[in-house]
């Protein structure tokens, strides 16, 4: 594959291209996707109905991912697939980083001459390569916020056709990643443009590997059984833009597509953890800060933050015997000495303090502790080493049974903290009924 690449800035479009809508007689106010937790990789999986005729494609959710990418080398057949030609409006919208001038095989999805090249980032394995920008039909269920409705389609949904090898390291049968990040061609951006609803989406990840969580595209209500609108329980904090990309590979000048929040301090049982707070800010090179990830199974902390955090937690739970650590965790305990509650293990509460002392994301035992066997509970946080790109990466386990709403228009995060305190969970969306 011959690629002509520009290494400098791409000019942004002064207008937004709306993906074509296949069904114009009905405009949904919101869309919904079921999400399952893979028991081996701990990734969160969903299914995208794509192509003509429609084919269910298994993909993993990547909260900070740039866009949808799928393996097009293995059996991608569709009468409606079209590559995006070099210098087209679609290429500019996607911030394409080059032009595939010649593909050395017969034409097929993912291998066409004079088409846009996009970097494909497998954030699970931290491997990146080039892929072909294309468009095809995507079908998804609408929702009234309480149950699924009729399916609707976007006829020219932009995505990247990737080579087979880049999907290695994903669970069996998973063909790519569904990027929900801060770009003009992520799933939330394209769906909101196609159906002219609010540029918002919400994730609610189930802690169970047998019950489904949910992703909503659009504004609430976000109703969970028994008739609880989780949108009404949100606390808000600004989303922060990291001006430097945090992807494995990127074009110079690209900002990060990840969602960062302004954690100012960490408290355990109300006591501030002593740590180097400069690490909580993003520096000029894009290092530091706190981001949210659905790819990391557990929260990862820079070494000095992690050590201070673990020491403070252990101090607050000193009456519980420690046991030998079980990888990847550094602090594990005799679970027979820890009581269970409706909110999980009865352990010290953890607060991520945000723009003021009165605004904090509380992490309860269900999200802070991991049961590794019948006798051992471990603190579900991981040492991320010295000088990582991001100081704190809030991982999937800490997100489960919490509803998070991302408002792209106002750059604001709404978070519920644990829904267990509201006597519901993220697996309580009614997928069985029809609106």
């Amino acid at each position: 594959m011959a690629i002509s690449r520009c290494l400098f800035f791409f000019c942004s479009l002064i207008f937004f291209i709306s993906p074509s809508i296949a069904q114009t007689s009905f405009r949904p106010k919101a869309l919904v996707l079921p999400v399952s937790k893979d028991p081996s990789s701990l990734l969160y999986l969903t299914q995208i109905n794509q192509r003509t005729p429609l084919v269910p494609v298994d993909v993993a959710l990547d909260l900070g991912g740039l866009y949808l990418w799928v393996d097009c080398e293995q059996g991608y057949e569709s009468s409606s697939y079209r590559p995006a030609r070099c210098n087209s409006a679609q290429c500019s919208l996607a911030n394409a980083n080059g032009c595939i001038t010649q593909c050395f095989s017969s034409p097929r999805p993912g291998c066409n001459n004079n088409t846009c090249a996009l970097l494909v980032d497998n954030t699970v394995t931290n491997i990146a390569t080039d892929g072909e920008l294309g468009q095809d039909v995507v079908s998804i269920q609408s929702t009234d916020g309480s149950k699924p409705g009729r399916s609707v389609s976007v006829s020219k949904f932009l995505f990247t056709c990737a080579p087979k090898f880049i999907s290695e390291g994903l669970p069996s049968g998973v063909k790519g990643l569904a990027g929900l990040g801060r770009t003009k061609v992520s799933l939330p951006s394209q769906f909101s443009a196609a159906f002219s609803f609010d540029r918002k989406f919400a994730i609610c990840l189930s802690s169970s590997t047998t019950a489904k969580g949910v992703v909503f595209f659009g504004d609430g209500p976000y109703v969970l059984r028994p008739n609880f609108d989780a949108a009404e329980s949100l606390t808000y904090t600004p989303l922060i833009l990291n001006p430097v990309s945090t992807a494995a590979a990127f074009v110079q000048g690209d900002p990060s597509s990840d969602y960062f929040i302004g954690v100012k301090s960490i408290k355990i049982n109300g006591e501030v953890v002593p740590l180097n707070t400069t690490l909580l800010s993003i520096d000029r090179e894009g290092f530091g800060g706190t981001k949210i990830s659905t790819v990391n199974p557990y929260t990862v902390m820079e070494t000095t933050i992690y050590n201070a955090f673990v020491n403070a937690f252990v101090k607050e739970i000193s009456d519980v015997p420690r046991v030998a650590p079980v990888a990847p965790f550094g602090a594990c305990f005799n679970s027979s000495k820890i009581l269970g509650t409706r909110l999980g293990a009865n352990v010290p509460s953890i607060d991520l303090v945000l723009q003021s002392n009165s605004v904090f994301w509380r992490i309860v035992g269900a999200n802070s502790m991991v049961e590794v066997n019948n006798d051992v509970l471990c603190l579900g946080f991981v040492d991320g080493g010295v000088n990582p790109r991001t100081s704190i990466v809030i991982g999937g386990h800490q997100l489960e049974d919490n509803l998070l709403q991302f408002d792209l228009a106002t750059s604001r995060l709404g978070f519920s903290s644990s829904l267990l305190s509201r006597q519901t969970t993220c697996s309580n969306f009614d997928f069985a009924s029809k609106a």
Side-chain angles (χ1 to χ4, degrees), residues 364-379:
V364 298
N367 296 107
S368 64
M369 306 303 289
V370 177
E371 183 179 6
V372 297
N373 59 49
N374 290 335
D375 303 313
V376 177
L377 279 172
C378 295
L379 183 60

Side-chain angles (χ1 to χ4, degrees), residues 339-363:
L339 296 176
T341 73
R342 182 162 51 89
L343 303 182
N346 185 21
V347 295
S349 61
I350 299 165
D351 293 335
L352 304 180
V353 181
L354 298 160
Q355 64 265 35
S356 71
N357 282 328
S358 62
V359 181
F360 54 86
W361 180 343
R362 174 154 291 178
I363 299 172

Side-chain angles (χ1 to χ4, degrees), residues 197-321:
F197 55 59
D198 289 339
R199 294 178 58 213
K200 299 178 181 179
F201 72 98
I203 65 171
C204 202
L205 304 176
S206 173
S207 58
S208 170
T209 57
T210 58
K212 294 186 184 299
V214 60
V215 175
F216 299 96
F217 298 99
D219 204 353
Y222 308 130
V223 180
L224 304 171
R225 293 187 298 258
N227 198 31
F228 171 71
D229 181 4
E232 296 180 351
S233 68
L234 299 178
T235 301
Y236 295 96
T237 192
L239 288 168
I240 297 170
L241 179 66
N242 187 333
V244 182
S245 176
T246 43
F250 57 92
V251 177
Q252 182 182 357
D254 284 352
S256 176
S257 59
D258 282 303
Y259 295 98
F260 283 76
I261 57 174
V263 173
K264 303 301 184 185
S265 66
I266 302 173
K267 292 182 179 180
I268 297 177
N269 266 0
E271 298 294 323
V272 176
V273 177
L275 50 85
N276 180 2
T277 55
T278 59
L279 295 171
L280 300 179
S281 298
I282 301 169
D283 68 17
R284 292 180 180 179
E285 285 73 45
F287 281 76
T290 301
K291 74 176 185 180
I292 307 170
S293 169
T294 56
V295 171
N296 291 80
Y298 306 104
T299 292
V300 182
M301 295 175 160
E302 182 272 342
T303 291
T304 63
I305 296 176
Y306 177 79
N307 288 339
F309 174 78
V310 170
N311 290 339
F313 188 89
V314 169
K315 180 181 177 182
E316 292 295 325
I317 198 173
S318 58
D319 56 332
V320 178

